[in-house]
Amino acid sequence: MLLPATMTLGQDLGRAAPGAASALLGGLLFLFGAIASPVVGLFGETSSLPMSLIMLVSAALAAPALVVLARPRAVTPSGRDMIMGA
């Protein structure tokens, strides 16, 4: 449910170079999937608990990352978005 919104926001921020933005977002998705899959496998295959824990840890790390990494946006008089602090 969040993936389409995330991709849309990422493409909007990278509108100057849409191909590079798309490649970066796609590559990051594959990277995180490649990291999470073996970690889940390390904890065994007989229970769904490892997968649940990895999902919980990922969500717990995503919330502070959003607060730390995301910058607030302001609208300029021309109506265009501008990232504050940049």
Side-chain angles (χ1 to χ4, degrees):
M1 186 175 220
L2 293 175
L3 186 60
T6 304
M7 295 299 270
T8 301
L9 290 172
Q11 289 292 333
D12 182 49
L13 290 173
R15 63 182 164 257
S22 179
L24 181 63
L25 289 170
L28 286 174
L29 287 174
F30 276 103
L31 175 68
F32 290 133
I35 291 170
S37 296
V39 172
V40 170
L42 289 174
F43 295 107
E45 300 174 2
T46 58
S47 172
S48 61
L49 183 63
M51 180 66 170
S52 302
L53 290 175
I54 294 298
M55 291 173 67
L56 181 66
V57 169
S58 297
L61 292 175
L66 174 66
V67 172
V68 172
L69 299 175
R71 297 182 190 162
R73 303 184 113 204
V75 179
T76 62
S78 66
R80 294 207 37 162
D81 285 340
M82 180 180 80
I83 296 175
M84 299 198 42

